[in-house]
């Protein structure tokens, strides 16, 4: 029975991978732009791609050995609680009954996190503008 399923799966995968002839093979991206900001990295970072794999293996061993430090959570201290009017704009029937009344407590962070935007990451990884990247994504979504 396993051999029948194995043959079926192999045929299925072959059909999926040979359906399109316009596939582009791209080099492996190690994701080092993300690892650079991880805890325990401390600026110790390889400068060339040939050392990325060994660096990630060593970093993984270090993270496992110091997992409490790596996964530690520091409570943010750059926020404040604000009380202000709740503004929601419900639609449909009985919209005025659905709108909340009064004030609510809101959390406002006072300093933005130093993370790159999605468009900047796409430009860095794809070498294209985010507009060119998203245009293809929206076109594929309509299929």
């Amino acid at each position: 029975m396993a051999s029948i399923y194995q043959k079926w799966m192999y045929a299925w995968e072959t059909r999926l991978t040979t359906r399109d002839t316009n596939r582009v093979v791209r080099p492996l991206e190690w994701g080092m732009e993300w690892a650079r900001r991880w805890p325990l990295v401390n600026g110790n970072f390889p400068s060339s791609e040939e050392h990325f794999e060994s660096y990630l293996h060593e970093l993984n061993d270090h993270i496992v050995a110091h997992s409490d430090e790596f996964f530690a959570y520091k409570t943010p201290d750059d926020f404040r609680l604000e009380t202000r009017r709740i503004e929601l704009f419900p639609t449909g029937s009985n919209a005025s009954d659905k709108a909340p009344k009064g004030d609510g407590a809101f959390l406002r962070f006072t300093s933005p996190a130093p993370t790159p935007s999605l468009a900047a990451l796409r430009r860095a990884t794809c070498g294209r503008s985010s507009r060119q990247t998203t245009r293809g994504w929206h076109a594929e979504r309509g299929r």
Side-chain angles (χ1 to χ4, degrees):
M1 185 69 172
S3 64
I4 294 172
Y5 181 70
Q6 181 180 7
K7 288 178 186 177
W8 180 81
M9 283 301 297
Y10 185 80
W12 172 253
E13 290 294 330
T14 302
R15 279 194 307 275
L16 289 176
T17 57
T18 58
R19 177 182 298 170
D20 297 328
T21 58
N22 62 346
R23 295 190 183 269
V24 177
V25 178
R26 293 191 170 89
L28 175 69
E29 293 183 8
W30 290 96
M32 296 304 270
E33 65 275 6
W34 296 103
R36 190 179 305 262
R37 292 186 304 271
W38 287 353
L40 305 179
V41 171
N42 299 330
N44 180 19
F45 205 76
S47 58
S48 65
E49 271 191 45
E50 61 193 30
H51 300 115
F52 283 176
E53 183 177 6
S54 62
Y55 172 75
L56 287 174
H57 282 287
E58 292 170 15
L59 180 60
N60 185 54
D61 293 340
H62 187 67
I63 288 170
V64 170
H66 300 91
S67 61
D68 288 343
E69 184 182 350
F70 182 80
F71 291 106
Y73 179 74
K74 179 184 173 284
T75 304
D77 56 1
D78 60 343
F79 68 90
R80 67 178 183 258
L81 286 174
E82 296 179 347
T83 302
R84 64 176 193 249
R85 187 171 156 245
I86 300 173
E87 294 185 277
L88 294 176
F89 305 100
T91 59
S93 62
N94 302 329
S96 60
D97 296 338
K98 297 175 186 175
K101 312 265 189 288
D103 293 338
F106 292 87
L107 183 67
R108 180 178 301 268
F109 283 90
T110 55
S111 63
T115 57
S117 68
L118 182 58
L121 286 174
R122 284 186 177 151
R123 279 193 300 275
T125 57
C126 299
R128 300 180 288 188
S129 74
S130 60
R131 182 174 180 174
Q132 292 171 329
T133 304
T134 57
R135 188 181 311 139
W137 176 77
H138 288 297
E140 292 175 5
R141 193 170 185 209
R143 284 188 196 175

